Amino acid sequence: MTEQTKRSGRRRGSGESPQTREAILAAALGAFEEKGYGGTTIRGVATAAGVDPALVMHFFGSKDGLFDAAIRGPGMPLRRLREVIDAGPPAELGERLIRRYLSLWDDPATAPRLRAVMQAATSAPAAGQILRDFMVAEILRPLAEHLGGDDGETRAVLVASQMIGVALTRYLLHVEPMTALSTEQVTAALGPTVQRYLTGDLTI
């Protein structure tokens, strides 16, 4: 390793490979979860990933760009909610959405990314806007189009509000007795409510 490489901290031969980009994203997600959006820095992410800060800027442009890329990456768990929309009878869609959502939060492979994203979005306006844009494009708009009608967007947003509430009370704030309920209990309690938002009489 040359003295220049030692000084820069850049991984030898890392270049601009997809593996380097993914290493930066993984380091960023870890930083967002551990330090929050405000405490995460480009330099800190670069150090954790073993690359130059300039390479992080080259890939992502800014911390906002880094967070946006983390949100929109192929491994974003929230995208898997779309898989259940057409996976069964319309009358059971509320239960399917809640069950899938809980499974993502309960899975050790996907929960850390969800937690990092939610914590960042609730602590920084810029991160919150990025998450809103993602949710509208990737989840709410497809759900609204599936539902159809003049109130499809309203129904989709009401569903999202219920799910965000579950994330905050059960997985981020750990409010009792919400955390003590089993997955089946939460699904049984919230599935009918979500279903009403989807297909029931809103009377608004």
Side-chain angles (χ1 to χ4, degrees):
M1 180 180 293
T2 66
E3 288 301 315
Q4 181 178 1
T5 303
K6 290 179 182 178
R7 286 195 302 271
S8 68
R10 182 172 178 172
R11 288 189 293 183
R12 184 177 180 180
S14 62
E16 299 180 8
S17 69
Q19 292 82 2
T20 300
R21 189 178 188 278
E22 289 304 310
I24 294 171
L25 282 176
L29 286 168
F32 287 133
E33 181 175 6
E34 179 182 353
K35 301 177 182 179
Y37 192 82
T40 297
T41 64
I42 294 294
R43 183 174 297 278
V45 170
T47 299
V51 301
D52 290 340
L55 189 59
V56 181
M57 294 296 291
H58 170 74
F59 275 126
F60 305 105
S62 65
K63 184 166 72 172
D64 287 352
L66 186 59
F67 185 74
D68 184 68
I71 288 284
R72 298 182 185 279
M76 180 58 180
L78 288 176
R79 279 202 178 93
R80 292 172 57 187
L81 290 173
R82 295 175 60 174
E83 300 171 356
V84 304
I85 292 178
D86 294 313
E92 298 174 3
L93 178 54
E95 179 182 338
R96 292 198 303 275
L97 284 171
I98 288 293
R99 192 177 297 278
R100 171 59 59 87
Y101 190 63
L102 294 176
S103 74
L104 295 176
W105 277 101
D106 291 335
D107 187 344
T110 54
R113 176 168 288 195
L114 287 175
R115 188 175 296 109
V117 165
M118 288 294 292
Q119 288 175 336
T122 55
S123 63
Q129 182 62 56
I130 291 169
L131 180 58
R132 285 194 296 273
D133 291 345
F134 169 83
M135 289 184 63
V136 169
E138 300 291 338
I139 301 172
L140 299 186
R141 188 172 295 136
L143 181 57
E145 291 174 354
H146 171 81
L147 295 172
D150 296 335
D151 59 357
E153 291 185 0
T154 299
R155 291 178 181 276
V157 168
L158 289 172
V159 171
S161 71
Q162 190 72 52
M163 292 186 168
I164 291 171
V166 171
L168 287 173
T169 57
R170 184 173 174 87
Y171 298 104
L172 297 182
L173 301 180
H174 304 288
V175 177
E176 294 291 354
M178 189 60 166
T179 56
L181 296 175
S182 69
T183 298
E184 290 302 320
Q185 287 174 316
V186 176
T187 302
L190 297 184
T193 298
V194 172
Q195 189 64 45
R196 182 176 72 83
Y197 290 156
L198 292 166
T199 59
D201 181 12
L202 297 181
T203 60
I204 56 175

